[in-house]
């Protein structure tokens, strides 16, 4: 006799059978033969050796002798059992394949509202502390999920990660399964347009004034002269300014080497912003001698390993009195 799963009913079988209770929580009565019948067909041979499928009447003669759960590599497991048919004990072990991943993944659901609220860089950089409610509420009395192995796809604004699923109260030290998840639709860096700001600092004012005074000894200070100065090393000048976010609540950013990152300050949280190896261009410069200011047109051109366009802001350097 052989048993064959009905492929069209595999998902329903995994959602219906109490596999977890039977396999890992010690309830050997959690799955009975009657529970399997809607999802499989049994086949045997008649007296002439011809195969046939057991009918509903035939199945009444089927008795369960023994059942166990077999764990195999790559989480491709089996429900293994023996049966007695018409009072005759079968000699072979019958097996129904079970994808442990497919069984457990149905217990968890991505929170689709999570990603669109945040930028990807900071969430990936601080993962898993930053994950929050990235998974919808699940039964925490039964499962403890450890999130790990975050992999950011900055080109598509998606975050892949793994969840180590532990069974609460089952007495198992190792996770019962490791699941793969993907959160899609994080804010693109282009959404920083109108939000990213730079405010001058005392150090920036002083260095700009000193450099222009030195140049003034050999040539007149014009917009073109100032632009040439700052374009030689734009990140040098920009990193002297104070970065921030201008939105509903505002917030601060800070430099960590060549990385521009958000912070939690004054109740304002910008930690979802993390611009690794942030690169800027200065596209324009205007020197106002009367006001003692230099106005720079700044553009973010690259971060997190991808090119960025359309994120522009203005930086006004003050106290440039020559």
């Amino acid at each position: 006799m052989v048993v064959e799963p009905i492929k069209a009913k595999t998902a329903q079988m995994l959602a219906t059978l109490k596999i977890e209770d039977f396999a890992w929580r010690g309830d050997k009565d959690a799955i009975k033969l009657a529970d399997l019948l809607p999802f499989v067909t049994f086949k045997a041979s008649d007296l002439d050796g011809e195969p046939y499928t057991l009918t509903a009447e035939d199945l009444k003669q089927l008795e369960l002798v023994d059942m166990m759960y077999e764990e195999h590599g790559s989480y491709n497991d089996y429900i293994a059992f023996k049966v007695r048919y018409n009072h005759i004990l079968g000699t072979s072990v019958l097996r129904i394949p079970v994808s442990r991943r497919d069984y457990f993944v149905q217990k968890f659901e991505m929170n689709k509202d999570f990603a669109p609220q945040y930028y990807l860089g900071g969430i990936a950089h601080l993962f898993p502390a930053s994950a929050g409610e990235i998974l919808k509420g699940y039964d925490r009395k039964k499962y403890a999920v450890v999130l790990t192995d975050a992999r950011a796809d900055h080109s598509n604004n998606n975050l892949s990660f793994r969840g180590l699923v532990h069974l609460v109260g089952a007495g198992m030290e190792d996770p019962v399964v490791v699941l793969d998840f993907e959160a899609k639709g994080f804010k693109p860096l282009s959404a920083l347009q109108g939000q990213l700001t730079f405010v001058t600092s005392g150090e920036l004012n002083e260095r700009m004034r000193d450099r222009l005074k030195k140049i003034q000894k050999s040539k007149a200070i014009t917009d073109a002269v100032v632009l040439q100065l700052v374009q030689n090393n734009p990140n040098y000048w920009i990193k002297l300014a104070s970065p921030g976010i201008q939105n509903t609540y505002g917030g601060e950013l800070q430099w960590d080497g060549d990385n521009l990152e958000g912070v939690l300050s004054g109740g304002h949280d910008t930690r979802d912003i993390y611009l690794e190896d942030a690169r800027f261009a200065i596209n324009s410069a205007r020197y106002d001698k009367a006001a003692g200011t230099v106005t720079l047109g700044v553009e973010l051109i690259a971060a997190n390993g991808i090119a960025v366009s359309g994120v522009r802001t203005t930086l006004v350097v003050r106290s440039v009195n020559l």
Side-chain angles (χ1 to χ4, degrees):
M1 182 175 293
V2 296
V3 61
E4 294 181 357
I6 302 173
K7 292 184 178 180
K9 293 186 176 182
T10 298
Q12 183 183 357
M13 181 187 75
L14 294 177
T16 303
L17 295 183
K18 298 178 180 179
I19 294 173
E20 173 187 330
D21 294 337
F22 179 79
W24 298 286
R25 296 191 183 275
D27 185 358
K28 296 307 178 184
D29 293 324
I31 300 178
K32 299 180 180 180
L33 181 60
D35 299 322
L36 302 176
L37 296 182
F39 310 110
V40 298
T41 57
F42 287 88
K43 295 185 178 181
S45 300
D46 60 20
L47 295 177
D48 296 325
E50 294 296 324
Y52 73 95
T53 300
L54 272 63
T55 65
E57 286 299 316
D58 294 330
L59 292 175
K60 294 178 181 179
Q61 305 298 318
L62 206 60
E63 301 174 64
L64 180 65
V65 176
D66 187 29
M67 183 185 294
M68 64 180 296
Y69 190 85
E70 295 180 346
E71 298 184 34
H72 289 263
S74 301
Y75 303 131
N76 295 318
D77 302 339
Y78 294 92
I79 297 174
F81 58 100
K82 286 186 176 182
V83 294
R84 183 183 292 111
Y85 178 59
N86 199 19
H87 306 295
I88 299 175
L89 178 63
T91 57
S92 59
V93 177
L94 307 181
R95 289 181 172 86
I96 300 173
V98 173
S99 168
R100 201 187 318 175
R101 279 197 177 95
D102 289 349
Y103 172 77
F104 278 102
V105 78
Q106 66 184 336
K107 308 292 184 181
F108 307 95
E109 183 181 356
M110 291 296 308
N111 181 0
K112 295 181 180 179
D113 296 329
F114 179 85
Q117 301 179 64
Y118 302 107
Y119 292 97
L120 172 58
I123 299 298
H125 180 63
L126 298 175
F127 195 89
S130 59
E133 297 299 322
I134 199 168
L135 293 179
K136 280 192 173 181
Y138 54 87
D139 192 342
R140 296 179 185 272
K141 293 181 180 179
K142 297 179 67 175
Y143 310 111
V145 183
V146 178
L147 304 182
T148 185
D149 294 338
R151 301 175 299 281
D153 178 358
H154 291 286
S155 296
N156 296 300
N157 298 304
N158 298 334
L159 179 70
S160 300
F161 60 96
R162 289 180 172 176
L164 282 60
V165 180
H166 293 264
L167 297 181
V168 177
M172 300 169 58
E173 292 186 5
D174 295 330
V176 67
V177 69
V178 179
L179 300 178
D180 294 312
F181 296 100
E182 186 175 31
K184 298 182 178 182
F186 285 88
K187 290 181 183 179
L189 291 182
S190 59
L192 287 171
Q193 171 61 24
Q195 294 192 356
L196 182 63
T197 64
F198 288 95
V199 177
T200 193
S201 66
E203 184 178 9
L204 175 55
N205 294 344
E206 182 179 352
R207 294 196 184 187
M208 179 68 73
R209 182 175 60 249
D210 291 348
R211 290 292 296 275
L212 292 181
K213 278 186 176 181
K214 186 175 181 179
I215 293 173
Q216 191 179 38
K217 294 178 181 179
S218 59
K219 64 177 73 173
I221 302 301
T222 64
D223 293 349
V225 169
V226 176
L227 183 60
Q228 182 180 17
L229 169 66
V230 295
Q231 283 186 333
N232 285 336
N233 190 353
N235 269 41
Y236 167 80
W237 296 101
I238 292 168
K239 288 170 73 172
L240 293 174
S242 298
I245 291 296
Q246 178 179 320
N247 54 26
T248 304
Y249 303 104
E252 298 179 9
L253 302 175
Q254 66 182 15
W255 285 100
D256 177 17
D258 290 330
N259 307 323
L260 189 57
E261 61 183 12
V263 297
L264 176 62
S265 176
H268 301 153
D269 193 349
T270 60
R271 289 176 295 176
D272 62 318
I273 298 174
Y274 185 80
L275 306 179
E276 182 179 5
D277 194 21
R279 298 295 169 185
F280 291 87
I282 298 178
N283 300 322
S284 64
R286 183 170 59 85
Y287 171 55
D288 187 331
K289 183 176 182 179
T293 61
V294 172
T295 302
L296 304 177
V298 177
E299 181 178 9
L300 175 66
I301 58 173
N304 300 333
I306 61 171
V308 182
S309 62
V311 180
R312 301 180 180 89
T313 188
T314 299
L315 169 58
V316 181
V317 186
R318 303 186 182 280
S319 302
V320 188
N321 304 110
L322 306 181

